[in-house]
Amino acid sequence: MRNRVLHSFPILLLKLHLKKNMALVGIWVLLVLIFLGDFGKVLGIPYLFLDPEYLNKVSWLGFFMMGIGFAIFTMAFHMTTYIMDAARFQFLATLSRPFIRFCVNNSLIPLVVYLVYIFSVIAFQLDNISQDGWGIMGYLLGFAGGSLLMYLMMFGYFALTNKDFFVMFTDSLDKRLRKVNVSRANVIKRYKDRKLAKDTVDTYLDINLKFKKVREDLARFEGHKLLKVFDQNHLNLVIIGVVLVLTILFLGFFREYEFLQFPAAMSVMLIFSILTLMVGALTFWLRSWSTFVVILLFVLLNASSKTPWLNRPHTALGMDYEVEKAPYNLHRMQALLHPDTLKKDKEKTLEILDNWRAKFPKDKPPKMLLIACSGGGQRAALWTLHVLQQMHVHSEGRFMPHTQLITGASGGIVGAAFFRELYLRSLQDPSIQLASSEYREQISSDNLNPIIFTLMVNDLLIRNQYVEYHDRFYLKDRGFAFENQLNKNTGGVLDKPLHAYASPEYHAKIPMMPVAPLIVNDGRKLYISPHHVSYLCVSENSNMPLDEKSQAIDFLRFFHHQDAENLRFISALRMGATFPFVTPNIQLPSDPQMEIMDSGLSDNFGVKDALRFISVFEDWMEANTAGVVLVTIRDSEKNLEIEKKTPPTIMQKLITPLKNIYVNWDNVQTINNETMFNYMKAKVGFELDRIEFEYSTKDFLERQRTTNLTGEVESEDLDVQRASLNWRLTAREKRDILDCIGSIQNQQSLERLSAIFSEKAEKPHDLP
C-alpha cells in the first residue's frame, strides 16, 4: 500500500515540483503566506485577496472575479508544468484527454492553496465586518462560480482540440497490439522494475477521481509517436497561453472603463499567470536553450532600457516637456537664491499674512493655526480629513479662517488638500456640509485597482497610450491611473492647475499649502506652491554663504519656462505621495533630468516646514498674533512601548538591519521634530503651543477598557488591527480609523481646540 501511494501520479508530480520547479511552487507558497497574514500585512496585501473590492464595493462579484483569476493562474501552472514535465510520464500519451487527466493529478498543490484561501476568507470576514453567514456564503459561491466558469471554458477547449494517442495512431496501434506477446513472467519482472524506479507511475487519478493502474502492455510503443502526442498537446497549450496573454494586454486599451478595473488581487494573479505562461512558452520553443536565452534577453533588455524608446519619463501633467530643459546645476540654484529674490518672495508672503490679519478685529490679535499632517497612504488621507472635519465641528467652523499654513506629506496632504478645496467651495455654496460622511467615503474609496491593472496591461511592457491635458499629450501610466481615480473619487474638485490657488491663497481665503516632495538626485526638497517660497530653501541669513547647501528648490521659479504654473494640482499631490513600486517617480523637464519621490522620506510629518515658516516670519507673528498653535495630525503613535527582544534567527539577523532602518525612520524624524519644536518654543517672543492628534490603537483601547461596563476585558478582545499602509482600506480599517477620534488623547485635543474658539475668542469678519 505504501509503495502504491509513493508511486501514485499525484505524489510523483508533487515530488518532481519540489525537486525541479521550485520557482513555480514558490508562487503558491507566497500566496499561502499572504492569505495567512505572514507576508505584506503592514502594506495590506492580504486584504486585497481576502476582501476584494470591485466597482467600489466588496460583493460576490468581486469574489467572482477572484475566482476567474485563481482559475487562470491554476491553469497556467498546469499548462506550464505539462509542457515541461509531461514527457517524463509517457503513459499519459496513451490515455484519452491526457492534459485533463494530468491536471487532475497535478492539483494537489492548488487544492491545498484553495482550501487555505477559503478558510482565510471565512476567518477574515467573520472577524472584520458585520456580515452574517449567508453573506459570506454568497462571497464563496461567487468565488466558486468564477472558478468553475473559467475551468469549463478552458477544459472545453482542450477536450475539443487535444488528440490522444489512440486517435492519432489507431491503425498502427491495432497492428502493434497484435504483435505484443506479454508473458506472465515478463509482466512480473517489469512490475518489479517499475517499483524500483523513482519516477515510475503505478497508479493515476482518473477524471472520476478514482485511482487506476497504468497499463503495462503499452510500454513498448515507439517513443517518437508518444512524443508526437505531447508535441501536439503542447502546441495547443502554447496557443491558448498566447491568446490569453494577448487578451489581457488588449484589455489595456479600455482600462479606463470602470468595469475592466479588476480587483487588485485578481490583477496580481493575472500577472503571475503571464509570467508562468512565459516560462512554458519558452520551454516549448527553446527546449534546453531556454535558460540561456532568458539570461541573454534580460541582459539585452537591461542594456537597451536606457534608450529613449524604453525609458520614456513618467511625466507631470500640465508641464511643457517640449521646450528647452531647465538647467539643473549648482550655479543656477545659487543664482535663484539671490538675496534680492529672497527678499521679494518674503515681502509677497507678508502681503498674504497682512490679508489674513485683516480678517480679524484690529484691536484684538488672533491666534494663528499651522497644521502639519503626516503621510501614510490612504489611512493618513482618511484620518487627516476626519480630524479636520472634527476640528470644524468643535470650533463651530472657526478654525479654518485662523489657519494660515498646511504642511505635510503623502496621504496626509491629499486629505488636507481635499478638505481645503471643499472649504473654499463652501464660501460660495453654504449648502456644502464640510463634516458630511460623504467626503470621508470619497477620500477612502479604492485607488489601487486601476493602478495594479494598469501595471499589468501597460507599464510592464511599453507604454503606448496618451492622454490630452491642456492641449499637450502625456503618456498614460499607473501614476496617471492613480490621479484619474483620485479625481473620480473626489468628484473632480481637485482637478485644477496650480495657479488656480494663487488668488485664494493671496487673499487668505484658504491657507497656503506647499507640497514638498523629495528630489532623488540630490536629497533637496521641491516646494510646489502657486507663490514663490524661496525663503524656505535656505537659512534665514539673507546673504547666503557660499559653503551653505540650499535645502530646497522653489518649483515655480525653477520651472518657469516649462509652464510650472499650469501643473495639474493632482499631479503635484501625486509627486508628494509616490508610493514605492505602486506609483512611479515623476521625472521633470530639466537637464539633467530631475526625479521626484515621496516627501515622507525627508519630512513625513510636515513639522520641519511649519517650524521653518515660523522662523522666517517670527517678527511678524510676534507683532500681529496672540500666539501660534501648531496642530499635528499623525497617523502613528509618537510614544511607542519598547519592543521586547528575543534571540534572533539567522534570517532575522540578515533582515534586521534593513528592518530597523525602515521602522526607526519615523522615530528618528519624531525625535528631531521634538528637538526643533522645543528650541523654537524657547526662541520666539510669542506663545507657541501645540495640539496633537494621533491615529493610535493604544489610546482607543485604553478608552474601551475604562468605559467597559460588563467587567473584565480580555486583551485579545481589545486588539484593534492597525490599518495598513496602502491606497485601499477595508471596511474594518475605515471604521477603526474613524473610531480612533474617540481616544482620550484626541478628545482632550478637541477640547483644547474648542477652548481656543470659545465665545470670548476673536471671530473673523466673514463669520457670523
Side-chain angles (χ1 to χ4, degrees):
M1 180 65 183
R2 178 173 176 272
N3 284 333
R4 290 185 61 185
V5 172
L6 293 177
H7 288 269
S8 64
F9 196 26
I11 298 300
L12 288 175
L13 281 174
L14 176 62
K15 290 167 61 178
L16 180 64
H17 295 330
L18 294 176
K19 180 173 65 175
K20 178 176 175 288
N21 301 322
M22 279 304 298
L24 297 178
V25 175
I27 298 178
W28 291 107
V29 173
L30 177 62
L31 290 174
V32 170
L33 293 176
I34 290 173
F35 302 156
L36 297 178
D38 294 326
F39 179 86
K41 193 170 184 178
V42 172
L43 301 177
I45 296 176
Y47 309 143
L48 303 180
F49 291 83
L50 305 179
D51 197 43
E53 188 169 324
Y54 180 59
L55 300 178
N56 291 321
K57 64 179 180 180
V58 178
S59 66
W60 71 270
L61 194 55
F63 280 91
F64 180 84
M65 303 297 286
M66 285 299 302
I68 293 177
F70 264 81
I72 291 176
F73 174 64
T74 303
M75 291 306 299
F77 173 72
H78 289 323
M79 292 159 64
T80 298
T81 52
Y82 184 84
I83 290 173
M84 293 193 302
D85 301 320
R88 292 170 174 262
F89 309 98
Q90 295 191 0
F91 78 95
L92 279 171
T94 65
L95 304 176
S96 61
R97 300 186 177 88
F99 175 68
I100 297 178
R101 283 175 164 79
F102 177 86
C103 292
V104 171
N105 288 269
N106 196 42
S107 295
L108 194 56
I109 294 176
L111 177 62
V112 171
V113 178
Y114 265 74
L115 291 176
V116 171
Y117 177 72
I118 290 172
F119 284 114
S120 298
V121 167
I122 294 173
F124 177 85
Q125 296 295 340
L126 287 174
D127 183 58
N128 284 270
I129 61 172
S130 55
Q131 183 65 268
D132 57 24
W134 289 110
I136 297 175
M137 180 62 69
Y139 292 167
L140 296 180
L141 289 176
F143 176 74
S147 295
L148 289 174
L149 175 64
M150 186 54 56
Y151 284 134
L152 287 174
M153 292 175 59
M154 299 188 76
F155 280 129
Y157 168 82
F158 296 135
L160 293 174
T161 58
N162 280 10
K163 296 180 181 180
D164 56 67
F165 186 89
F166 295 98
V167 173
M168 295 182 68
F169 304 110
T170 302
D171 293 337
S172 61
L173 173 64
D174 182 66
K175 295 176 182 178
R176 183 64 178 169
L177 282 173
R178 292 179 182 179
K179 295 179 180 179
V180 172
N181 180 20
V182 184
S183 66
R184 184 172 183 273
N186 190 30
V187 170
I188 293 175
K189 180 179 182 299
R190 288 172 51 197
Y191 178 77
K192 291 180 178 179
D193 291 340
R194 293 176 67 85
K195 289 292 185 183
L196 295 174
K198 291 183 178 180
D199 291 334
T200 301
V201 181
D202 287 341
T203 59
Y204 66 93
L205 197 61
D206 205 5
I207 296 177
N208 59 7
L209 301 183
K210 293 183 179 180
F211 279 98
K212 288 188 177 182
K213 293 190 65 175
V214 174
R215 292 179 58 175
E216 298 289 337
D217 57 343
L218 299 176
R220 293 186 179 182
F221 289 104
E222 292 90 340
H224 72 278
K225 290 189 175 181
L226 297 175
L227 290 175
K228 188 173 182 180
V229 176
F230 287 120
D231 283 345
Q232 182 264 336
N233 286 179
H234 292 172
L235 181 60
N236 272 330
L237 297 184
V238 171
I239 290 173
I240 195 171
V242 171
V243 170
L244 185 61
V245 172
L246 292 178
T247 300
I248 293 172
L249 297 179
F250 178 73
L251 294 177
F253 291 100
F254 309 97
R255 62 178 179 271
E256 291 181 19
Y257 290 93
E258 194 173 9
F259 70 93
L260 281 179
Q261 292 174 1
F262 302 149
M266 178 187 178
S267 296
V268 172
M269 297 300 292
L270 294 179
I271 291 174
F272 286 162
S273 302
I274 292 174
L275 296 176
T276 303
L277 289 170
M278 287 175 61
V279 172
L282 289 172
T283 302
F284 174 73
W285 294 113
L286 302 174
R287 305 295 182 183
S288 59
W289 285 91
S290 57
T291 302
F292 171 77
V293 172
V294 168
I295 295 174
L296 180 62
L297 288 175
F298 177 79
V299 171
L300 293 175
L301 181 63
N302 183 63
S304 61
S305 61
K306 295 182 178 181
T307 62
W309 187 57
L310 291 178
N311 193 30
R312 290 177 288 183
H314 297 279
T315 52
L317 272 65
M319 297 194 68
D320 191 348
Y321 284 77
E322 300 299 324
V323 298
E324 183 180 356
K325 309 302 181 187
Y328 180 23
N329 52 57
L330 292 176
H331 175 73
R332 182 162 187 259
M333 286 190 288
Q334 200 83 6
L336 293 177
L337 294 175
H338 189 276
D340 292 342
T341 300
L342 299 176
K343 181 180 178 181
K344 178 182 176 181
D345 293 351
K346 185 176 179 180
E347 289 175 348
K348 182 73 174 211
T349 303
L350 284 172
E351 294 178 16
I352 296 175
L353 293 175
D354 289 337
N355 291 336
W356 174 86
R357 177 64 182 89
K359 296 191 298 182
F360 302 94
K362 293 182 179 180
D363 58 342
K364 192 171 184 181
K367 285 276 189 181
M368 175 182 281
L369 266 62
L370 308 181
I371 298 176
C373 41
S374 74
Q378 198 162 37
R379 76 182 181 209
L382 176 58
W383 174 240
T384 299
L385 175 65
H386 185 44
V387 170
L388 293 175
Q389 287 181 321
Q390 292 299 309
M391 290 173 61
H392 174 76
V393 171
H394 283 75
S395 68
E396 298 180 352
R398 300 181 192 176
F399 95 89
M400 200 62 174
H402 282 259
T403 303
Q404 176 50 36
L405 180 73
I406 299 176
T407 61
S410 192
I413 207 70
V414 172
F418 185 42
F419 183 85
R420 187 181 74 147
E421 175 62 35
L422 293 172
Y423 173 77
L424 177 61
R425 290 171 179 258
S426 71
L427 298 179
Q428 300 296 326
D429 184 2
S431 66
I432 294 177
Q433 300 297 317
L434 291 178
S436 172
S437 62
E438 171 190 358
Y439 304 125
R440 295 193 294 273
E441 293 172 2
Q442 288 180 345
I443 201 66
S444 61
S445 295
D446 175 70
N447 272 334
L448 197 60
N449 285 356
I451 295 174
I452 303 301
F453 184 68
T454 302
L455 173 66
M456 174 183 66
V457 300
N458 186 76
D459 288 13
L460 286 180
L461 296 175
I462 301 174
R463 289 169 286 141
N464 54 7
Q465 290 182 271
Y466 291 81
V467 59
E468 183 179 0
Y469 183 82
H470 290 183
D471 300 324
R472 297 191 182 108
F473 290 90
Y474 304 88
L475 280 167
K476 291 182 180 180
D477 55 19
R478 61 191 185 279
F480 171 76
F482 169 80
E483 292 183 24
N484 196 42
Q485 190 62 40
L486 177 62
N487 190 41
K488 289 180 180 178
N489 291 348
T490 54
V493 299
L494 293 171
D495 196 3
K496 295 180 173 182
L498 183 64
H499 69 77
Y501 288 108
S503 178
E505 286 189 12
Y506 179 78
H507 292 98
K509 292 182 178 180
I510 56 175
M512 298 176 67
M513 195 183 75
V515 182
L518 181 72
I519 302 173
V520 175
N521 308 58
D522 54 24
R524 292 178 171 88
K525 283 187 175 184
L526 182 70
Y527 284 116
I528 304 174
S529 170
H531 299 281
H532 296 298
V533 290
S534 60
Y535 49 80
L536 296 178
C537 301
V538 292
S539 64
E540 295 179 66
N541 190 343
S542 59
N543 296 310
M544 181 180 172
L546 295 177
D547 60 347
E548 179 181 348
K549 177 177 179 178
S550 60
Q551 290 99 52
I553 292 176
D554 179 6
F555 169 81
L556 196 63
R557 181 171 283 111
F558 190 89
F559 290 104
H560 172 72
H561 297 293
Q562 288 72 35
D563 209 5
E565 64 177 14
N566 278 316
L567 170 72
R568 189 189 194 194
F569 185 64
I570 297 181
S571 290
L573 294 177
R574 199 243 294 187
M575 280 194 246
T578 301
F579 201 89
F581 304 110
V582 177
T583 49
N585 295 346
I586 280 182
Q587 287 88 35
L588 296 177
S590 64
D591 182 24
Q593 186 170 264
M594 184 184 292
E595 187 168 350
I596 307 301
M597 67 184 304
D598 197 295
S599 51
L601 288 175
S602 59
D603 182 13
N604 193 48
F605 303 100
V607 173
K608 287 182 183 178
D609 292 334
L611 294 179
R612 183 179 289 271
F613 188 84
I614 293 174
S615 179
V616 173
F617 298 102
E618 175 185 347
D619 293 340
W620 186 94
M621 292 177 182
E622 182 176 355
N624 292 276
T625 72
V628 175
V629 179
L630 177 62
V631 179
T632 61
I633 305 175
R634 297 176 56 101
D635 92 319
S636 60
E637 295 96 340
K638 186 169 76 171
N639 295 305
L640 292 169
E641 290 293 340
I642 306 302
E643 182 181 353
K644 293 183 179 180
K645 293 294 184 181
T646 57
T649 63
I650 295 177
M651 185 60 68
Q652 288 173 334
K653 289 180 180 180
L654 295 174
I655 297 175
T656 296
L658 295 176
K659 181 182 177 183
N660 287 342
I661 294 174
Y662 168 75
V663 171
N664 287 320
W665 188 243
D666 274 5
N667 294 332
V668 171
Q669 290 193 35
T670 297
I671 293 172
N672 289 337
N673 290 341
E674 289 292 292
T675 302
M676 288 188 294
F677 178 81
N678 291 329
Y679 169 78
M680 188 65 66
K681 184 177 178 67
K683 172 179 176 290
V684 297
F686 52 86
E687 183 182 357
L688 177 60
D689 202 359
R690 179 170 56 181
I691 297 177
E692 295 181 305
F693 293 91
E694 289 185 3
Y695 168 49
S696 168
T697 59
K698 167 174 59 66
D699 285 336
F700 179 56
L701 293 179
E702 182 61 29
R703 183 170 181 269
Q704 283 185 317
R705 191 189 306 275
T706 57
T707 58
N708 179 58
L709 301 178
T710 59
E712 289 293 325
V713 181
E714 298 295 332
S715 59
E716 56 266 25
D717 296 331
L718 293 176
D719 182 22
V720 176
Q721 176 61 52
R722 180 169 175 75
S724 54
L725 181 61
N726 207 325
W727 283 113
R728 189 259 172 173
L729 298 170
T730 67
R732 169 65 180 272
E733 289 176 322
K734 294 176 186 179
R735 185 168 64 246
D736 289 343
I737 291 171
L738 299 181
D739 287 347
C740 197
I741 198 67
S743 73
I744 295 174
Q745 175 186 331
N746 292 330
Q747 286 299 304
Q748 290 174 344
S749 295
L750 287 173
E751 290 172 4
R752 291 179 59 197
L753 185 77
S754 298
I756 294 175
F757 299 104
S758 63
E759 289 298 324
K760 295 181 180 180
E762 67 282 349
K763 294 182 181 179
H765 298 312
D766 55 354
L767 282 180

